[in-house]
Amino acid sequence: MALVPCQVLRAAILLSYCSILCNYKAIDMPAHQTYGGSWKFLTFIDLVIQAVFFGICVLTDLSSLLTKGNDSQEQERQLKKLISLRDWMMAVLAFPVGVFVVTMFWSIYIYDRELVYPKLLDNFIPAWLNHGMHTTVLPFVLIEMRTTHHQYPSRSCGLAAVCTFAVGYILWVCWIHHVTGVWVYPLLEHLSPGVKVVFFAAVTVIINMFYLVGEVLNNYIWDTQK
């Protein structure tokens, strides 16, 4: 796909995430007023990740256009740093976290929505916003992967970064429970301590698997060995 259409596409996706975030933050939900606010939900964290990532994509495209035909080595060096940051975010955060949020949310929702998205939330969050948070993330990140080749870090560094994010969020959820006595997700209320440990371990493994899926898919699409 040509550069200009890609720019327009990324800009449109960025604007959609900004709209989703603004509409979500404007909702007067009791959960937003409690300890941790919106930041206790992985869905909100993922929305911020996606918005920042596509913001960097747009910035990279603009920088590429501005430096095109320019012989400045300093500008070229800064552009390469920006591209490296974009690729790292795609590999470690945007793809694995985004795919994890979509697959886990809808898997649990289909089984029993009360465990992850109680029906009470329908009074606060319209259907279009729910899909903006939990559905469109997947096609958006796949479109980005298809239109742009991303250089993945070494597998050990990538997996270490993903594990750090997963463990960090799990510790954050546990800390919120320690402070408030309430689990962020109703699902955790139904699990015994031992099962919670297994569940958290499984979550970490799954998100690492999505990192590997992203790496394989990126290589398959772009056939980097050729």
Side-chain angles (χ1 to χ4, degrees):
M1 188 177 287
L3 178 60
V4 172
C6 285
Q7 282 184 313
V8 173
L9 189 61
R10 292 190 186 104
I13 293 174
L14 174 60
L15 289 175
S16 72
Y17 276 123
C18 291
S19 175
I20 291 169
L21 282 167
C22 289
N23 279 277
Y24 178 76
K25 291 298 291 182
I27 296 173
D28 185 21
M29 284 199 308
H32 290 176
Q33 313 304 324
T34 56
Y35 185 81
S38 302
W39 291 98
K40 58 178 169 283
F41 301 113
L42 185 58
T43 292
F44 179 78
I45 295 174
D46 178 52
L47 287 176
V48 174
I49 288 172
Q50 302 297 332
V52 171
F53 168 67
F54 279 100
I56 292 173
C57 288
V58 170
L59 184 59
T60 302
D61 286 340
L62 290 174
S63 299
S64 180
L65 286 175
L66 292 174
T67 58
K68 192 174 182 180
N70 195 322
D71 296 331
S72 172
Q73 293 184 350
E74 177 61 23
Q75 288 184 345
E76 188 69 22
R77 187 171 66 86
Q78 295 300 326
L79 177 60
K80 287 182 179 179
K81 285 184 177 181
L82 201 56
I83 292 173
S84 296
L85 176 60
R86 178 202 66 186
D87 291 349
W88 185 89
M89 277 204 70
M90 176 65 171
V92 173
L93 295 174
F95 186 89
V97 178
V99 176
F100 177 84
V101 166
V102 173
T103 54
M104 286 295 290
F105 174 83
W106 287 112
S107 296
I108 299 174
Y109 185 97
I110 291 171
Y111 174 73
D112 183 357
R113 66 170 295 176
E114 295 298 319
L115 296 176
V116 66
Y117 192 81
K119 199 168 184 178
L120 177 66
L121 292 179
D122 291 341
N123 298 324
F124 300 94
I125 303 176
W128 72 266
L129 186 55
N130 180 29
H131 285 292
M133 297 188 297
H134 298 115
T135 305
T136 58
V137 173
L138 181 56
F140 283 168
V141 78
L142 290 176
I143 288 171
E144 170 61 22
M145 180 170 281
R146 178 62 185 86
T147 56
T148 305
H149 173 250
H150 298 273
Q151 185 67 43
Y152 267 60
S154 66
R155 184 166 293 180
S156 58
C157 290
L159 290 175
V162 173
C163 278
T164 300
F165 174 84
V167 173
Y169 180 70
I170 289 170
L171 292 176
W172 171 231
V173 169
C174 292
W175 174 254
I176 292 172
H177 176 262
H178 172 74
V179 172
T180 65
V182 179
W183 288 104
V184 174
Y185 302 101
L187 169 66
L188 297 173
E189 301 283 358
H190 302 277
L191 304 180
S192 65
V195 176
K196 281 188 182 72
V197 172
V198 174
F199 176 78
F200 288 143
V203 162
T204 304
V205 170
I206 291 171
I207 199 169
N208 275 273
M209 288 176 62
F210 284 137
Y211 170 85
L212 296 175
V213 169
E215 182 184 43
V216 171
L217 186 59
N218 181 71
N219 290 340
Y220 174 77
I221 291 173
W222 295 97
D223 197 10
T224 52
Q225 290 185 351
K226 286 186 178 180

